[in-house]
Amino acid sequence: MARRAVVFAGIALLASTTLTACSTENPEAGSDGGSGSKPKGKIVLGFAQVGAESGWRTANTKSVQEAAKKAGITLKFSDAQQKQENQIKAIRTFIQQKVDVIAFSPVVESGWDTVLKEAKDAGIPVILTDRAVDSKDKSLYKTFLGSDFVKEGTSAGQWLTDEYANSKDTVNIVELQGTTGSAPANDRKAGFAEVIKGDHKFKIIASQTGDFTRAKGKEVMQAFLKSHKDIDVLYAHNDDMALGAIQAIEEAGKQPGKDIKVISVDGIKDAFVAMTEGKINVVVECNPLLGDQLMELTKSVAAGEVVPERVETEEGVFPQDKAKAALPSRKY
Ligand code: GYE
């Protein structure tokens, strides 16, 4: 609480001083020619995004770009196309350009220590946003802003155990994992497994990555359907994979949501539409609208203030019966 007060006081101070002098121009990747020059007093944020793999990601990118503009922060944006080496390259470029703050969504959890150390040695504060790293040295970054993915997996598992509370039959589950080695894939898998392991009727009969994309989700589900005739439940680590898998289920002559129950994570509009059509049974929300919080943290760390080492986003769980009412107000 005390720490939070420090941040908010800092933000208020920044808002009334430095930032009033800032312009609102918002150049995209490379549009400033990489000269490193910046108007005096304007905060420059280098942001290394994962890619454009999902509806969640598109909403996240838009939120960051709009929030930067609103906050008067110059955003250097880079899209790593789901490749760690591209993100490392982007971070090194931001270091060379002497940006004020670096933020990134690490595509995978491991392998960041060297480049984070380079940023630290250059005196540039780093904010982790959306996904975490597994570095032991917590001084390599200032804060992590994002969801609790283990909790999301737990909520998904909880829905399932409630749904089958009165049944003794075996429940055959197939799992579509997110990008291998990514925090949301690791944690959503772990949280879900933790809940269902208490009841032996739940069996994960196949689990494979669909890389968080619709195309891969469909392809892997097609393979699951070929090799398993008795699938009861699909647990997809995100909506895009669930939506791809739904196509595969329909093409195989089965009804998604009925013959095969579908559990998903994120809460993009398309998934809400699929819920109103009865094709997805439940969506665990993961909020991508992190832009405003990211800009607040950026201002604070640029000013050398102490920020909380973990900032969590708030989210809910939406079963089908809540989907219709919630759909019109979905923002992503
Ligand atoms: O769930 C998925 C996206 O890191 C929380 O990445 C994010 C995940 C999100 O591709 O749709």
Side-chain angles (χ1 to χ4, degrees):
M1 240 25 229
R3 279 178 135 189
R4 221 161 262 250
V6 175
V7 183
F8 293 138
I11 289 162
L13 187 73
L14 263 172
S16 62
T17 56
T18 334
L19 291 175
T20 44
C22 291
S23 72
T24 51
E25 111 209 26
N26 185 21
E28 300 280 325
S31 59
D32 68 346
S35 64
S37 65
K38 56 181 177 180
K40 223 174 154 220
K42 191 164 167 98
I43 296 171
V44 178
L45 170 66
F47 180 61
Q49 179 61 292
V50 169
E53 73 283 2
S54 65
W56 189 101
R57 188 65 53 199
T58 308
N60 179 250
T61 294
K62 192 162 167 256
S63 164
V64 169
Q65 289 173 332
E66 285 175 1
K69 200 170 225 168
K70 205 166 74 188
I73 288 175
T74 301
L75 183 69
K76 288 176 182 284
F77 182 88
S78 148
D79 175 339
Q81 300 182 334
Q82 295 237 70
K83 292 205 175 70
Q84 182 172 33
E85 70 253 35
N86 291 346
Q87 273 191 316
I88 291 176
K89 253 189 234 153
I91 293 169
R92 291 207 165 114
T93 303
F94 293 149
I95 295 171
Q96 274 166 14
Q97 292 174 334
K98 297 187 168 52
V99 300
D100 298 301
V101 178
I102 293 172
F104 78 116
S105 282
V107 58
V108 289
E109 281 188 286
S110 312
W112 298 103
D113 286 26
T114 308
V115 74
L116 288 177
K117 179 104 191 347
E118 288 166 23
K120 191 180 171 186
D121 291 346
I124 302 174
V126 172
I127 298 173
L128 302 178
T129 173
D130 156 36
R131 298 184 184 179
V133 298
D134 64 3
S135 305
K136 299 269 173 309
D137 181 357
K138 304 273 182 270
S139 78
L140 293 176
Y141 55 90
K142 297 291 177 199
T143 181
F144 166 42
L145 162 67
S147 307
D148 182 339
F149 301 134
V150 176
K151 196 157 92 190
E152 291 168 355
T154 308
S155 301
Q158 199 56 58
W159 181 87
L160 187 68
T161 52
D162 290 350
E163 182 73 6
Y164 287 92
N166 300 321
S167 157
K168 291 208 164 29
D169 299 341
T170 300
V171 180
N172 288 327
I173 304 160
V174 294
E175 181 179 31
L176 279 170
Q177 297 178 35
T179 302
T180 306
S182 69
N186 293 342
D187 295 354
R188 286 173 187 165
K189 183 171 179 48
F192 184 77
E194 185 59 31
V195 176
I196 63 165
K197 79 168 188 214
D199 187 337
H200 295 302
K201 74 175 178 245
F202 294 112
K203 299 218 181 322
I204 299 184
I205 55 170
S207 180
Q208 216 175 292
T209 182
D211 215 11
F212 281 132
T213 67
R214 276 186 207 212
K216 263 298 199 66
K218 181 172 181 187
E219 192 185 304
V220 177
M221 190 67 200
Q222 279 168 338
F224 286 165
L225 286 159
K226 269 205 189 110
S227 42
H228 303 277
K229 299 284 161 247
D230 48 358
I231 303 169
D232 299 305
V233 173
L234 162 68
Y235 170 40
H237 289 187
N238 84 339
D239 290 338
D240 290 83
M241 292 190 296
L243 292 163
I246 282 171
Q247 284 178 24
I249 296 170
E250 286 176 332
E251 283 169 20
K254 297 196 177 202
Q255 263 188 293
K258 292 209 171 63
D259 301 329
I260 298 179
K261 297 211 165 128
V262 180
I263 306 173
S264 180
V265 187
D266 275 356
I268 61 171
K269 264 199 190 125
D270 287 356
F272 271 77
V273 171
M275 269 199 289
T276 62
E277 293 167 354
K279 296 179 182 180
I280 293 182
N281 300 76
V282 65
V283 168
V284 177
E285 186 179 37
C286 179
N287 186 0
L289 308 178
L290 305 178
D292 289 333
Q293 279 172 296
L294 176 60
M295 296 314 142
E296 285 181 9
L297 288 166
T298 297
K299 290 180 212 165
S300 296
V301 299
E305 291 162 8
V306 177
V307 293
E309 60 189 54
R310 180 78 175 92
V311 181
E312 225 181 279
T313 38
E314 279 190 14
E315 36 221 26
V317 176
F318 293 89
Q320 271 177 5
D321 56 355
K322 282 204 215 160
K324 213 177 188 145
L327 181 58
S329 59
R330 293 306 290 169
K331 293 204 178 66
Y332 60 95

